[in-house]
Every structure is written in C-alpha cells, then in structure tokens.
Amino acid sequence: MDLLFPWLRELVLALVLAWLLAEAAGRGRRGLVLAPLLSLLALQAWRGLQIGFLPLTNKYEAFLAFAAALLAVATWRYPRLGRGGRALVAVVAAAFIGTTLAFDAALSWPTPLLYTGWYAVHVPLSFLAYAAWVAAAADGLDFLGHRDAATLLQRQEDNLRVGLLLFAVGLIFGGIWGIVSWGAWFLWDAKIVWSLAAWLYFAALLHLKYWPLRSAAVRAALSLLGLLIVLFTYVGTSFMTGSIHSF
Amino acid sequence: MPSPLARRLLHSRLFATLASARVGVVLALLVTVQLMASSLFIPSPRSRDRLPFSEDMTFFLQAPWERYPWFWLLALSTALLALSTALGALRAFWLRAAAGRLDARAWGVALVHLGFLVGLAAHLQAGLSAGVEGQVLLGPDPTPVGAHSLRVVEGSLRHTPDGSLLAIDAVVEDERGRRQRLGFNRPWFYDGYRRWVLVQGAQPSGAVPVFEVEGTPVRAAAGQGLQVGGATWTVQRVSTNPSLRTPMVALLDPQGQPLWVGPGWSQGELRLVGFDPALVITALLRRNDGIPLLLVAMGVFTLGVALFVAGRRPAG
C-alpha cells in the first residue's frame, strides 16, 4: 500500500491531462472527470487513515483537496458546462495537482488548533465554494464562446449562488473556530480580509441580475475576474503576503 | 396598511435610490475593492508593527485619523452598504408581501440579509469591546478567573506519533463544583458568552493528592476541606521537594493542628491513597461583548440559507 499510493498522484494528474486533451479534441466524457476524482479521493482517504484526521495538514494535501473539490463540481455540472468551461476547470485542476509535484508529500499530523471538527467543516466548504465560483467563471468563458446567453446566465447564477451559500456557511464555521481557538473570529490578516472581499464580490455579482446590463459579456468578464480573486484569496495570500493564515 | 408617512417614505426618491440594486451593487464592489486594497496597508500580524490581535477597533479610534485613512473610508462605505442592504431587502420583502409571494425562499432571502446586517452590528459591538483581560495558569489549586475560581481536577495530554502535542483534555471545576472539559478549541465560557478562558498550552507540573474519604476517592486541592464523620480535615499544600522520596501533603486536623502525611497514611475513614500527576494549563482570558449578537447573526443567516435551499424554486 505504501508503495502503491504515492503513484496515485501521478495517475490522477495523467487522467486530468487526458481529460484536458479529450476536451480539446471534442471527445470529453463525464467518465473522464470521474476517474481522476475517484483516484484523488482514494489517495486522500489513504492519507487520512494514516494520520487519523482529515488530510488537510500541509500544502500538498490542501492543493490535492482543492483539485478534488474542482473535479467534484465539474462532475456534478458536467452536462451543463461547455467545452471551453470544462477545459478551464481541467486546466486549473491540472495546475493544482501538477504544483504538488514540487511539495513535500510526507505525512504530517495536525497541529493542536487544527484538530477540531470546525476546521474539518470550514475548509472543505470553502474549497467547494471556490470550485463553484471556478465553474461560474467557466460559464463566463462558455459565453465568450457564443453560447446561449439567457441559459448561460441562469447556470452561472446557480453556480454563483451555490458558491456564495457554501462560502457563507464556511465563514460561519470558520468564525466559530476562530473564537474557540484564537479568541477572535476576525483578524486584520490578508487571507481573512480577502475571503470577506471574495464573498462580497460574488454577492455583488449575484445581485447584478437586478441591474440588467446591456451586455452579458460584462457579467462573463466579471466572473472570469472572479476566478483571479478566488486564486489570489486561496493561493496568493498564502505565498505573496505575510498572512498568518497561510499553509 | 402602512401609515401615510411610511408610504410616502417608501415611495420617496431618496429611499428608491438607496434601496436600488444599482447602488447596492456599486457599494458592495466599492467595499470589495477597499478591502482588497486595505490588505496592502495592513501590517502583517507577523510583523513588529502589528495591529491589535483581533476585531479591536479602538486601536483606530485612538490613532490620528490621517494615520489609517483606508480604515475610515472602509467604515464609511460599509455603513452605506449596510443602509442600502437594509432598505433594499426591506423593499424587496415589502413588494413580495404586497404581491402575496412570501414563500420559504423569500423568507430565506430576507433572513440572509438580516443575518448579514446583524453580523455587521455584532462586528461593530465587538470592535468596541473585544480585548484580552489577562493570562492565567490553571492548576490543581483554585485560581481566580473574573468572579469565578477555577481549578484543574484532572487532565491528560495526547501526543502524535512524532511526539508533538496534539490535544489537551482537562476537567476544570469552578467554585460551585460545576465541571467542564477544557482543551485546545474547547474554551470555558462565562458571563453569558462574553468572556472565555482560552487554552494555549499545558504541561505536567507537581502532584495532586488522592484521598479515600469514607470509601470514596477524592482528588483534593489546596484549601479544600474533607468531611469525615462530621469533622473537617483541610488540605493546606503539597510538597514535591525532590529530597523527599514521595510528595507529602500538609493537612490541618479537625482541631487545627498541622501535620505532614505521605501515601498510605490513614486516620479513621480518611486515607491518603497516593498522588496523580497535576496538569497546569496556560490560558488567555478573552472578552468580547459582541459574541452573543454574533451567534444570533450566524443563527439567523443559517436559518435563512436553510429556508432558501429547502424552498421550492419558482417555475420559469
């Protein structure tokens, strides 16, 4: 088992790349998304069993978990995403899984403050919310590929709303965790400030439907900008700021 | 039916402007941009010029306003966003009620917005009241914590296979004999959730005497009285002097005479069985008057989310 499972990461990456190539060739299938997702879940489950806790204790596991969240949302939304959108999700997932090749894959145990159910709920909910917002950006890309605007905007709104609700509940759990662990639900810290900004940004985007814009392209562009905000909130604040919330 | 004044207000241009989706969206995006920009100005909590630990806003109130202009701009924009959200949500709710379309989803949306606003209010209240009231060491002997007195009755540490500390599991007793488990991520709240004891660390230190009183084992703290056959024996202190072969307990007998006793000593129905290792907990005393309101906000918001998700989606 110990020798077999480290290879799963490379297998997952190969499957995602195969999915990406299939999408580029117009031969995408839902099974091609499901295969890397199940492999990734198996890898994470194995790591979780080894440490007796949620496998989210270092950069390596966090990036794999984010990729798993992306693939889960992609599998769920597969029939509704266009080719361009599916390719975007595959590129982001491949980038995250590929980046883990540079990280130390050794098992690590949670620090005492991570060892709580609040953390175990807060992080997966946040990842799923990020993934839903990436799917909303994928809808935006599909729109730019000249798909039906009305249908697309409805699908994008669904993804935005799912992300917003998941992230809100994730923030609530994170706030409670902050109170019982650090004594504060809010810190003047880049990661927390950007998380609130991201939530507010997507809330504003969701409310754009009450302000009909002349061009749906504006909404599509704003959702693609949202992808950058998600990536900076999740990755950028950890590597580019002095956040204490980093990996 | 609303009063004429309320109706006039609802139909006024100022109300319409403030409650409009355009103004709300613009303000939300403005606050978003300001939050993002503020991350460039906020000194990292890791830096020497660190900001206050938490929600504390008194730090900004006490500083000259020109020192942190981004904070005041952010506060102004957030206040306007709160006003716009309140009016917009109120108008949307009113219009739905007037049209007879107050279904579960409509209630859910209203509660989500209400939760957001109550959360902002809680954040403001916290900003003016949150702080650290001190640090304490909790051990086997009673330690004052606010109006209470806490002592660690028993406790243990759990380690990971690599030897790092993973968890603290301590039972703490207050002056009324109420017990509660304490550890990392498991604080002891008091004063209506406005204050709490936050565990930061623990280590074994000293010994706790374990007596058998009329057949019942009792872990005793310094100052604790032991009732035996109507007489009271009082534990004064424990000595763990390394020159002694075993820890010793200083007792006061029912006549008030001091005596030192070791494991195995007995007098009638009172016997010193031995010693358990004592655990000393390092704890932070936190205060935040906004916690009860914040919990209300979280509850209202979550209820709103649940109603929205459970509600049937309208056709079309």
Side-chain angles (χ1 to χ4, degrees):
Chain A
M1 290 286 274
D2 284 8
L3 288 173
L4 173 66
F5 274 88
W7 287 96
L8 261 175
R9 176 185 52 176
E10 284 77 13
L11 174 66
V12 170
L13 183 57
L15 288 170
V16 170
L17 291 174
W19 170 36
L20 188 59
L21 289 172
E23 288 298 343
R27 292 169 174 268
R29 298 277 187 282
R30 190 199 283 258
L32 281 172
V33 197
L34 207 54
L37 172 63
L38 293 177
S39 311
L40 207 46
L41 291 177
L43 173 61
Q44 289 289 71
W46 175 79
R47 294 182 69 91
L49 286 172
Q50 298 296 306
I51 62 172
F53 191 64
L54 193 72
L56 279 172
T57 59
N58 52 34
K59 284 194 284 261
Y60 177 84
E61 289 169 349
F63 272 50
L64 287 185
F66 180 70
L70 266 180
L71 294 175
V73 170
T75 308
W76 171 49
R77 304 297 290 178
Y78 190 84
R80 298 185 174 193
L81 284 175
R83 240 169 84 184
R86 292 200 294 256
L88 176 74
V89 175
V91 165
V92 177
F96 272 84
I97 296 168
T99 308
T100 62
L101 295 171
F103 296 151
D104 183 4
L107 288 170
S108 54
W109 282 269
T111 58
L113 292 182
L114 299 187
Y115 194 60
T116 166
W118 298 116
Y119 174 73
V121 180
H122 164 66
V123 176
L125 281 176
S126 302
F127 283 0
L128 287 170
Y130 289 154
W133 288 335
V134 173
D139 289 328
L141 193 67
D142 281 342
F143 174 80
L144 297 178
H146 307 292
R147 297 190 67 199
D148 173 40
T151 313
L152 185 105
L153 291 180
Q154 181 57 52
R155 287 172 190 166
Q156 187 185 54
E157 189 185 315
D158 288 347
N159 285 327
L160 287 173
R161 189 184 292 121
V162 167
L164 203 63
L165 296 182
L166 287 174
F167 203 63
V169 178
L171 283 179
I172 287 174
F173 284 126
I176 295 173
W177 177 35
I179 291 168
V180 300
S181 297
W182 289 275
W185 69 76
F186 175 82
L187 298 171
W188 286 106
D189 177 70
K191 176 80 168 196
I192 295 172
V193 168
W194 271 79
S195 295
L196 294 176
W199 187 81
L200 211 51
Y201 178 81
F202 287 106
L205 223 56
L206 190 64
H207 285 76
L208 272 180
K209 70 173 179 178
Y210 299 112
W211 180 9
L213 297 173
R214 282 188 182 174
S215 168
V218 174
R219 282 181 64 172
L222 287 175
S223 67
L224 285 168
L225 178 63
L227 171 65
L228 298 180
I229 292 173
V230 165
L231 292 178
F232 189 80
T233 302
Y234 178 43
V235 183
T237 52
S238 284
F239 292 97
M240 295 163 71
T241 71
S243 172
I244 56 168
H245 217 92
S246 56
F247 303 112
Chain B
M1 289 294 288
S3 68
L5 178 65
R7 197 179 300 170
R8 224 172 359 187
L9 193 67
L10 282 169
H11 291 100
S12 72
R13 184 175 287 183
L14 179 65
F15 182 91
T17 304
L18 281 171
S20 73
R22 290 183 187 201
V23 170
V25 167
V26 168
L27 284 170
L29 290 176
L30 182 64
V31 174
T32 301
V33 171
Q34 285 181 322
L35 278 172
M36 290 170 177
S38 72
S39 70
L40 302 173
F41 302 112
I42 298 169
S44 160
R46 282 180 176 158
S47 75
R48 285 185 185 173
D49 181 25
R50 53 193 287 170
L51 283 175
F53 175 68
S54 58
E55 300 88 359
D56 193 357
M57 289 181 200
T58 54
F59 174 84
F60 298 103
L61 295 174
Q62 288 159 4
W65 74 268
E66 64 272 18
R67 191 165 172 194
Y68 299 105
W70 58 266
F71 172 80
W72 294 106
L73 284 172
L74 184 59
L76 179 66
S77 306
T78 307
L80 286 173
L81 174 63
L83 182 64
S84 171
T85 303
L87 296 180
L90 191 67
R91 190 181 68 165
F93 190 77
W94 167 254
L95 290 175
R96 278 185 165 271
R101 293 195 295 131
L102 273 186
D103 55 5
R105 282 170 80 93
W107 276 105
V109 169
L111 288 176
V112 162
H113 284 89
L114 180 64
F116 172 69
L117 291 168
V118 177
L120 283 179
H123 194 67
L124 182 63
Q125 190 183 11
L128 300 173
S129 68
V132 175
E133 294 194 321
Q135 267 191 314
V136 287
L137 285 176
L138 296 177
D141 300 328
T143 305
V145 173
H148 301 274
S149 179
L150 298 183
R151 74 182 183 102
V152 178
V153 180
E154 60 185 71
S156 60
L157 304 177
R158 283 175 62 196
H159 294 85
T160 59
D162 66 0
S164 310
L165 181 61
L166 179 65
I168 297 168
D169 185 16
V171 176
V172 174
E173 187 179 81
D174 71 4
E175 71 286 352
R176 290 189 200 168
R178 291 175 302 194
R179 294 187 171 190
Q180 190 173 323
R181 289 196 176 277
L182 212 68
F184 290 122
N185 305 307
R186 213 168 179 174
W188 188 73
F189 284 97
Y190 58 103
D191 196 14
Y193 284 90
R194 288 175 177 81
R195 290 179 164 87
W196 64 106
V197 176
L198 194 71
V199 173
Q200 293 187 307
Q203 57 181 357
S205 174
V208 183
V210 181
F211 288 91
E212 192 176 88
V213 181
E214 296 174 343
T216 307
V218 175
R219 288 165 58 92
Q224 186 173 345
L226 302 168
Q227 299 291 329
V228 186
T232 304
W233 295 72
T234 307
V235 177
Q236 284 195 299
R237 68 189 182 92
V238 176
S239 172
T240 52
N241 188 326
S243 66
L244 300 170
R245 277 184 299 172
T246 171
M248 302 284 284
V249 184
L251 282 178
L252 278 183
D253 70 11
Q255 285 74 44
Q257 296 299 313
L259 73 158
W260 283 94
V261 300
W265 169 87
S266 66
Q267 181 76 45
E269 288 293 300
L270 179 65
R271 187 166 77 91
L272 177 58
V273 178
F275 293 89
D276 278 352
L279 198 66
V280 173
I281 293 174
T282 319
L284 196 69
L285 304 181
R286 291 278 294 143
R287 179 197 169 155
N288 190 335
D289 290 347
I291 295 280
L293 194 58
L294 182 79
L295 293 176
V296 169
M298 288 172 169
V300 169
F301 194 100
T302 308
L303 179 64
V305 169
L307 278 175
F308 183 83
V309 172
R312 203 157 56 90
R313 188 179 188 141

